[in-house]
Amino acid sequence: MTREQRRAAAKAKKEAAIRKKQSKPAAPGDLPTSSEEESESDGDLGPANPNHTAKSRSQASALPRDPAAAPTKPSSSKSTPLSQLSRREREAVQAQQAKERYQKMHAEGKTDEAKADLARLSLIKEKREQEAARRKAEKEEKEEAEKARLAEMDERERKKREAALGGGGGGGRGGKKKA
């Protein structure tokens, strides 16, 4: 079977399911309005799913298409007083407001958690400063030791050069002894 044949068979099966569904007696909520009939006649038929009823279609069409543009419960509750909301909606609004208050206080450093974080960070900062000072002192000490070692080597070289040039008073080897 080619791809086109499979598509044609699937389309025929779908159309048969739609015809079968339309041939059933209409329930009170299943009759489409005239606007629904026009939209369905455009050829935009959905799958033949028995769970798709007029009620579920109307609920789905009532929802906004873009989830980013969908109003959330807390923003819709700003227009209605809290007393008119259901218990769950009211609790959700109050929880959101409490969360926002906590975030604001945390950013200002007024919560216990923020104070603990700031104290921990100050300890870390102080420890890092001490480490930097220790490393700097070690580096300076190492440089001083290197300078002293180089000075000692230069002094040895100088003495060796003087001895090699014959700067000397009679302490050399060999030669005649004076009586």
Side-chain angles (χ1 to χ4, degrees), residues 40-55:
E40 287 182 5
S41 65
D42 293 336
D44 186 22
L45 296 175
N49 187 339
N51 295 328
H52 286 182
T53 62
K55 184 178 180 183

Side-chain angles (χ1 to χ4, degrees), residues 34-65:
S34 61
S35 62
E36 287 180 1
E37 289 179 65
E38 293 170 3
S39 66
E40 287 182 5
S41 65
D42 293 336
D44 186 22
L45 296 175
N49 187 339
N51 295 328
H52 286 182
T53 62
K55 184 178 180 183
S56 65
R57 282 193 302 269
S58 65
Q59 287 177 349
S61 65
L63 292 175
R65 300 279 180 191

Side-chain angles (χ1 to χ4, degrees), residues 1 3-21 45-48:
M1 223 181 199
R3 185 175 185 185
E4 289 80 21
Q5 291 172 340
R6 283 193 306 267
R7 280 187 174 173
K11 190 172 185 179
K13 188 176 178 181
K14 183 178 177 182
E15 289 174 357
I18 291 171
R19 278 194 301 270
K20 183 178 175 185
K21 183 180 177 188
L45 296 175

Side-chain angles (χ1 to χ4, degrees), residues 64-86:
R65 300 279 180 191
D66 187 14
T72 59
K73 286 184 181 178
S75 64
S76 65
S77 67
K78 291 179 181 176
S79 62
T80 61
L82 286 176
S83 61
Q84 292 181 357
L85 296 175
S86 69

Side-chain angles (χ1 to χ4, degrees), residues 2 4 12 20 44 48 61 71 77 95 98 109 116 123 125 131 139 150 159-160 176:
T2 66
E4 289 80 21
K20 183 178 175 185
D44 186 22
S61 65
S77 67
L123 288 174
K125 186 178 179 181
E131 275 294 310
K139 184 178 177 183
L150 288 175
K159 286 183 181 178
K160 284 183 182 179
K176 298 181 181 176

Side-chain angles (χ1 to χ4, degrees), residues 6-176:
R6 283 193 306 267
R7 280 187 174 173
K11 190 172 185 179
K13 188 176 178 181
K14 183 178 177 182
E15 289 174 357
I18 291 171
R19 278 194 301 270
K20 183 178 175 185
K21 183 180 177 188
Q22 289 176 347
S23 66
K24 290 182 183 179
D30 287 344
L31 288 177
T33 62
S34 61
S35 62
E36 287 180 1
E37 289 179 65
E38 293 170 3
S39 66
E40 287 182 5
S41 65
D42 293 336
D44 186 22
L45 296 175
N49 187 339
N51 295 328
H52 286 182
T53 62
K55 184 178 180 183
S56 65
R57 282 193 302 269
S58 65
Q59 287 177 349
S61 65
L63 292 175
R65 300 279 180 191
D66 187 14
T72 59
K73 286 184 181 178
S75 64
S76 65
S77 67
K78 291 179 181 176
S79 62
T80 61
L82 286 176
S83 61
Q84 292 181 357
L85 296 175
S86 69
R87 180 184 58 85
R88 286 185 180 175
E89 291 173 340
R90 189 172 46 249
E91 287 175 355
V93 168
Q94 290 172 347
Q96 180 67 25
Q97 290 172 348
K99 187 176 181 180
E100 289 171 0
R101 276 194 309 271
Y102 181 81
Q103 292 291 339
K104 183 180 177 186
M105 289 181 66
H106 186 76
E108 294 172 357
K110 294 181 179 179
T111 62
D112 292 338
E113 185 181 354
K115 289 176 184 175
D117 287 345
L118 292 173
R120 184 175 47 85
L121 290 174
S122 65
L123 288 174
I124 291 171
K125 186 178 179 181
E126 184 178 321
K127 188 176 181 182
R128 286 181 180 169
E129 288 173 355
Q130 290 174 352
E131 275 294 310
R134 184 187 59 81
R135 282 194 303 266
K136 185 178 178 183
E138 286 178 357
K139 184 178 177 183
E140 289 174 356
E141 189 176 309
K142 191 175 182 181
E143 288 174 356
E144 289 294 323
E146 183 69 18
K147 284 181 184 178
R149 188 181 66 81
L150 288 175
E152 186 179 325
M153 285 177 57
D154 287 343
E155 184 65 27
R156 279 193 221 138
E157 276 295 317
R158 190 182 56 78
K159 286 183 181 178
K160 284 183 182 179
R161 270 190 249 119
E162 287 178 5
L165 290 176
R173 290 190 195 157
K176 298 181 181 176

